Amino acid sequence: MSESFSHDYGEIIRREWPRVVATLVGDFGDLSEAEDAIQEAVVEALRTWPRSGVPDRPGAWITTVARRRAIDRRRRSNTGRQKAELDLRLRHRLDGSQDPSDVVDDESLLRDEQLRLLYACCHPALAPQAQMALTLRSLGGLTTSEIARAFLVPEPTVAQRLVRAKKKIAAAGIPFKIPPDHELLARTDLVRTVVYLIFNEGYDASAGADLVRAELCAEAIRLARLVAELTPDDAESLGLEALLLLIHARAGARVDAHGDLVLLADQRRDLWDVDLIDQGMMTLDRALRLERPGPLQIQAAIQALHNEPPPTDWEQIELLYRRLLDLRPSPVVVLNHAVALATAGDIEGGLRRLDEPALADQLDRYHHYHSARADLLRTIDVAASALAYRRALELVSSEPERRFLERRLTEVTAGLSP
Amino acid sequence: MKYACLIYSDENDTTANPDPLSKEMETIMAGYMAFGGAAGDKILGGEALQPTPTATCVRVSDGEVIATDGPFAETKEHLGGFYIIEAADLDEAIAMAAMIPHAAMGTVEVRPVIDFG
């Protein structure tokens, strides 16, 4: 078997993974059991496909094999009571069908099963790190070692995180179900937050030498697309997909040949990914046509304005941030609004907002706050600006950002010398 | 599934733990009555505990019983009572725990109970 062949199989398996996991969790009600059985089925696939060729419906093939493996295991090891439960559950699900793989073809059933899995992986009773790892594993189809590489943590750490999270789901009774209507909005918001966190982990790499870990961003976009497909009536899910596409389109221009951070205004626009921008704009358009505005759509609209040819319409951006503040106020949004206000021309107004004691207190440990303040102070109070850059430097942990802040500090202190 | 709802609050916080004869306590007790009514036979049991100054820690070391004054941990919030409830899953348990009055004045820790059956 050649490398490229095995790569193709990997692609196929990853594409089918979330549906297969969702189906098996639906059958057996247990994530660990489902994954173990699928793992066995995948091994079987990699053994037989090179000889027999990839089946017409690879997902159905893996599901059927995994289901048989899981049933075998249960029959071997379980008590009579559990056996009876299993038989009942499976009979109910396979009702009227001779071929167990037929279940996979029911699109609306599959959609619901993936949603149930998604809501369980992003359950609020799990820690954010566990939510991200579980979602990447169960719905993104990433392996433990891929997740470990993406988060720059040792593989055993991720493995342990996943085991604990799966144990908690089983032991604490976290349900695989679509939340009731009165909780649905909040729970779907949380799902989107988890996907956004995964994206940010890749985009604003919180530690290490690389500023952008592109695979993680691409993975988050795949997940955002899946969430948007699974919640087609929720404009915010499309908003998230659009937002991530529009930000990620600029990834190639955000770091220069030396690995240094390039500000949006200084980026080479020919390095932006036009396809991603087009996809993002189309997705945003679809979201806006649902006429249910929300914070993620507004953020996507802001990114869309940044992607327009210069001069950037900062007044419009400022207005959008103001709307975002109405809808979902947070210290970081106040910060972004203040920067937009200043860039639109009202530097002192922007600074006044940044210097509000409550905000200064909340964002004191956030290096972006201090570097934004330093930027605004450059033309007003050079000494205060230098002080703020120094504070940002104390807090920053990514190397490219550190070098950027050092350059900025050198520039303003050059202005200080007599 | 069976869950324990462990009710924690700050004993020095007079909002969470007002004078037993006060109007505020009456309101809190009314809240517990309402919870009891709404949860009905999903409540399998539970008790309210005397405050931590009444607590005694017991340890056995080399066969010797050592009893000392005070609660086990020096924390701000202490266990003040508990319920054992029956719920279909964690979501239902969370919804029930949220109705316990001290969830709004402290913390309710929801823990699944081990099924030895």
Side-chain angles (χ1 to χ4, degrees):
Chain A
M1 177 167 62
S2 77
E3 261 304 298
S4 71
F5 267 125
S6 96
H7 181 73
D8 287 346
Y9 295 136
E11 270 302 306
I12 294 166
I13 289 161
R14 264 199 70 185
R15 199 178 58 227
E16 303 294 338
W17 186 268
R19 295 155 163 252
V20 178
V21 176
T23 306
L24 267 283
V25 168
D27 289 343
F28 298 96
D30 185 276
L31 192 49
S32 306
E33 206 177 346
E35 279 187 4
D36 289 348
I38 296 165
Q39 207 57 60
E40 283 184 35
V42 165
V43 170
E44 175 96 27
L46 292 177
R47 204 164 48 82
T48 55
W49 289 2
R51 277 186 281 113
S52 61
V54 177
D56 290 341
R57 298 182 305 159
W61 191 100
I62 298 172
T63 303
T64 307
V65 174
R67 196 177 264 150
R68 285 194 190 121
R69 292 300 170 96
I71 292 171
D72 285 349
R73 276 179 179 221
R74 275 213 178 179
R75 296 233 156 99
R76 272 200 308 272
S77 67
N78 276 353
T79 65
R81 194 188 75 185
Q82 280 169 312
K83 246 185 236 177
E85 270 175 17
L86 167 74
D87 288 345
L88 195 70
R89 193 170 182 142
L90 277 180
R91 209 170 25 237
H92 175 68
R93 288 170 59 82
L94 304 176
D95 214 15
S97 159
Q98 290 303 306
D99 177 4
S101 65
D102 282 356
V103 176
V104 184
D105 281 348
D106 186 336
E107 276 303 319
S108 75
L109 180 70
L110 249 176
R111 199 193 117 208
D112 284 359
E113 285 187 337
Q114 289 180 84
L115 271 174
R116 285 186 201 114
L117 181 59
L118 188 62
Y119 286 114
C121 290
C122 299
H123 196 278
L126 297 167
Q129 293 294 343
Q131 294 169 339
M132 289 194 276
L134 269 182
T135 305
L136 284 169
R137 175 82 191 111
S138 303
L139 290 135
L142 264 66
T143 62
T144 309
S145 72
E146 283 168 335
I147 298 169
R149 248 180 293 145
F151 286 100
L152 302 177
V153 292
E155 195 175 330
T157 309
V158 173
Q160 197 183 38
R161 223 172 252 167
L162 285 168
V163 168
R164 279 196 189 146
K166 282 185 260 185
K167 264 193 193 147
K168 175 152 186 188
I169 289 179
I174 289 179
F176 293 98
K177 72 176 188 203
I178 296 166
D181 283 348
H182 67 280
E183 285 172 17
L184 194 61
L185 266 183
R187 291 288 303 278
T188 312
D189 257 347
L190 183 56
V191 167
R192 287 186 289 252
T193 302
V194 171
V195 175
Y196 200 178
L197 279 177
I198 292 171
F199 181 83
N200 274 338
E201 193 62 38
Y203 192 73
D204 210 355
S206 52
D210 298 328
L211 197 63
V212 182
R213 294 204 293 280
E215 321 83 68
L216 204 49
C217 293
E219 195 50 51
I221 289 173
R222 275 170 54 126
L223 286 169
R225 189 164 293 149
L226 178 65
V227 174
E229 279 165 16
L230 295 176
T231 55
D233 304 327
D234 196 326
E236 281 291 90
S237 296
L238 286 168
L240 175 65
E241 188 189 337
L243 173 63
L244 302 192
L245 285 166
L246 292 171
I247 297 176
H248 193 50
R250 299 192 296 259
R254 195 159 165 259
V255 183
D256 68 13
H258 309 290
D260 280 333
L261 178 66
V262 184
L263 283 189
L264 190 50
D266 306 327
Q267 286 176 8
R268 278 181 52 193
R269 284 170 177 251
D270 58 311
L271 293 176
W272 291 359
D273 189 325
V274 185
D275 284 346
L276 288 187
I277 292 180
D278 283 349
Q279 284 178 42
M281 293 306 288
M282 276 188 319
T283 309
L284 178 58
D285 196 49
R286 275 170 59 207
L288 296 177
R289 264 186 279 137
L290 292 174
E291 294 186 349
R292 297 219 181 124
L296 290 164
Q297 293 167 77
I298 293 177
Q299 290 176 71
I302 291 171
Q303 295 306 323
L305 284 170
H306 280 304
N307 289 346
E308 291 285 312
T312 305
D313 188 349
W314 280 99
E315 274 155 33
Q316 189 63 33
I317 292 175
E318 191 266 327
L319 275 176
L320 286 171
Y321 272 122
R322 211 184 297 171
R323 268 200 80 196
L324 194 53
L325 271 180
D326 289 339
L327 281 178
R328 185 151 312 172
S330 81
V332 174
V333 176
V334 177
L335 166 64
N336 288 332
H337 174 246
V339 171
L341 190 66
T343 317
D346 185 1
I347 296 182
E348 293 188 353
L351 264 177
R352 257 199 312 280
R353 279 176 173 71
L354 289 187
D355 286 336
E356 294 272 348
L359 186 75
D361 195 47
Q362 282 164 318
L363 294 181
D364 186 46
R365 303 214 48 81
Y366 186 53
H367 72 271
H368 286 304
Y369 169 75
H370 296 283
S371 68
R373 246 189 108 242
D375 287 344
L376 299 195
L377 281 165
R378 271 187 308 173
T379 54
I380 295 176
D381 183 342
V382 179
S385 173
L387 206 63
Y389 279 126
R390 288 206 180 90
R391 176 75 183 129
L393 273 165
E394 284 169 25
L395 299 166
V396 73
S397 59
S398 126
E399 261 318 300
E401 286 196 87
R402 167 184 307 283
R403 288 197 299 274
F404 171 80
L405 289 169
E406 273 162 1
R407 283 203 308 278
R408 276 290 167 99
L409 178 61
T410 315
E411 282 164 26
V412 290
T413 42
L416 264 180
S417 51
Chain B
M1 283 182 70
K2 246 190 251 180
Y3 295 88
C5 295
L6 310 174
I7 303 163
Y8 288 86
S9 68
D10 180 352
E11 290 178 350
N12 297 316
D13 172 4
T14 50
T15 313
N17 295 288
D19 186 273
L21 300 175
S22 64
K23 258 232 128 17
E24 289 79 9
M25 186 53 109
E26 233 173 76
T27 313
I28 292 175
M29 291 319 291
Y32 275 92
M33 294 292 284
F35 171 65
D41 54 12
K42 284 177 175 287
I43 297 177
L44 306 178
E47 300 291 346
L49 306 179
Q50 295 280 0
T52 52
T54 65
T56 306
C57 280
V58 178
R59 293 179 188 85
V60 175
S61 176
D62 295 330
E64 192 192 349
V65 177
I66 303 163
T68 51
D69 173 47
F72 175 60
E74 287 296 324
T75 52
K76 200 162 169 260
E77 295 196 330
H78 286 105
L79 186 65
F82 63 90
Y83 284 104
I84 304 293
I85 61 165
E86 177 69 39
D89 53 39
L90 184 62
D91 284 355
E92 194 190 350
I94 291 172
M96 287 174 72
M99 288 162 58
I100 297 173
H102 275 93
M105 296 173 279
T107 309
V108 177
E109 181 178 324
V110 176
R111 290 267 288 270
V113 170
I114 295 179
D115 176 8
F116 288 106

